Amino acid sequence: MNEQEQKAILTLSLMAAFADGSKDESERAELKRIADALAGEGSINLAALYQDVLLKRVSMPAAVAMLTSPEARQLAFEMAVCVCDADGVQSPPEKQFLADLRAALALDAQQSAAYSQQAEAIAALPVAWGHSAGSEAATPPVSPAAPAAAAAGYASTMSEDEIDKAILNAAILNGALELLPESLSTMAIIPLQMKLVYRIGKSYGFELDRTHIKDFLATLGVGLTSQYLEQAGRKLLGGLLGKVGGKMLGGIGKQAVSSGMSFASTYALGHVARRYYAGGRSFSTQMLRDSFERVLGEAKGLQTRYLPEMQARARTLDTAQIVDLVRRG
């Protein structure tokens, strides 16, 4: 895929992010941060691209015209669908945007509808935890900080070792999904993170719903739409996203080194959720964000250590059954 097609796909993905018209200032700022961060991954001026989309200086037909291959057109649609579904089921304006995009791309209506249904199924799955799909044993590192559950009066129904293993296994699974080329594998990372937070909160006696978990992630500065864009954008610019004919591809080494954010963000989310619910949800917004940034830094340092386990896990994943994978957790 050439640079022109990458630019067009990212343009359409940003358009999808703004399609519902409800992005507030913090969400727009987070999307700009992602555009700035991705600018270092290639020669595309993503900061300027973001401004062009925000100020409507670029049109859907112009972006579509830059896509010369059927594969690029299909991938553009898939990424737009996942962007619209990243923060929940599509709104009416998002549905209209995707319908207009499908028509502009001249894609098969039945095939496009089937893909949209798969993505919506993943986005709409309950956050309640089933049995763990990442249950293979992994030796957890020393916990960043043991929760003060006893002092706060909130004890978990899970042991510290069980929580450590649940967090690490979830991080390895999401790291493995990041190594796969299919767009739906990237889509699955966010609901799996939400299920991890649900499981930890429930172990401390808190019944959480999807809205609470989304708010918790937003408080940490983890936007759902922006997180998907960052993960998928890195795959796209690294030449991994959208390839077919095998799971573990030639660009995997570069991808593992250049991103790896899914492992780190999942690991940090788990440990910060542990502290938060162990402390009776008494942390301030600033305390939560500071804690998340600190643990995220630690998690990035662990990525290389656990990369072989992520690669091994990726070899076992069947992305044709991605909905079942997310349902099981």
Side-chain angles (χ1 to χ4, degrees), residues 2-328:
N2 59 43
E3 185 177 294
Q4 174 178 282
E5 289 178 317
Q6 290 178 339
K7 181 179 178 180
I9 291 173
L10 290 168
T11 297
L12 293 168
S13 296
L14 285 167
M15 286 182 176
F18 290 109
D20 62 4
S22 64
K23 294 287 183 290
D24 61 23
E25 185 58 37
S26 63
E27 288 179 298
R28 288 196 296 269
E30 181 65 8
L31 287 169
K32 184 179 185 305
R33 184 194 69 77
I34 297 306
D36 291 342
L38 290 176
E41 298 293 319
S43 58
I44 299 173
N45 188 343
L46 281 166
L49 198 62
Y50 168 88
Q51 290 296 327
D52 287 343
V53 171
L54 185 63
L55 299 176
K56 298 183 178 180
R57 294 190 296 232
V58 61
S59 68
M60 181 188 292
V64 167
M66 298 168 67
L67 299 169
T68 58
S69 69
E71 294 79 11
R73 288 175 174 244
Q74 181 62 36
L75 181 57
F77 181 76
E78 290 180 5
M79 278 188 65
V81 168
C82 291
V83 167
C84 290
D85 281 328
D87 59 354
V89 176
Q90 298 162 14
S91 66
E94 287 173 330
K95 288 181 182 293
Q96 186 60 55
F97 172 85
L98 291 173
D100 293 343
L101 179 59
R102 185 202 64 75
L105 292 167
L107 297 178
D108 178 78
Q110 186 173 359
Q111 181 181 354
S112 300
Y115 185 87
S116 292
Q117 288 168 5
Q118 283 183 293
E120 290 238 307
I122 293 171
L125 283 173
V127 295
W129 191 274
H131 69 274
S132 174
S135 58
E136 67 282 352
T139 304
V142 176
S143 172
Y154 291 89
S156 174
T157 56
M158 301 167 65
S159 70
E160 290 187 20
D161 284 346
E162 287 174 331
I163 296 177
D164 279 341
K165 287 182 179 180
I167 294 170
L168 181 60
N169 283 332
I172 289 172
L173 174 57
N174 278 344
L177 286 168
E178 192 174 22
L179 296 176
L180 298 179
E182 293 87 354
S183 53
L184 279 181
S185 67
T186 311
M187 176 74 191
I189 290 169
I190 293 170
L192 286 170
Q193 289 177 337
M194 296 178 75
K195 289 169 81 71
L196 175 65
V197 172
Y198 173 88
R199 183 184 186 187
I200 292 171
K202 184 174 176 62
S203 79
Y204 284 101
F206 295 98
E207 284 291 342
L208 310 177
D209 59 19
R210 183 180 298 273
T211 299
H212 172 91
I213 297 173
K214 286 170 63 175
D215 289 345
F216 173 72
L217 267 63
T219 299
L220 299 180
V222 180
L224 304 184
T225 301
S226 57
Q227 185 181 187
Y228 173 80
L229 269 174
E230 182 168 20
Q231 292 161 345
R234 289 187 189 279
K235 280 188 177 183
L236 177 71
L237 295 172
L240 179 66
L241 188 64
K243 290 193 175 182
V244 295
K247 296 176 182 177
M248 311 298 286
L249 304 174
I252 194 169
K254 178 183 176 182
Q255 167 67 13
V257 172
S258 67
S259 53
M261 285 303 298
S262 298
F263 171 88
S265 60
T266 304
Y267 184 90
L269 279 172
H271 281 290
V272 174
R274 175 192 207 175
R275 298 174 187 180
Y276 181 56
Y277 297 112
R281 302 196 293 190
S282 60
F283 290 13
S284 69
T285 296
Q286 194 58 51
M287 288 173 64
L288 279 170
R289 290 191 175 182
D290 289 346
S291 182
F292 180 74
E293 288 302 318
R294 186 166 56 253
V295 182
L296 185 64
E298 296 170 7
K300 289 177 182 177
L302 292 170
Q303 181 204 342
T304 302
R305 173 179 172 182
Y306 289 102
L307 179 58
E309 292 180 59
M310 287 183 254
Q311 292 173 327
R313 186 75 178 94
R315 294 186 182 95
T316 71
L317 295 176
D318 181 359
T319 51
Q321 299 174 335
I322 198 73
V323 175
D324 288 337
L325 174 70
V326 178
R327 182 180 290 114
R328 295 194 306 268

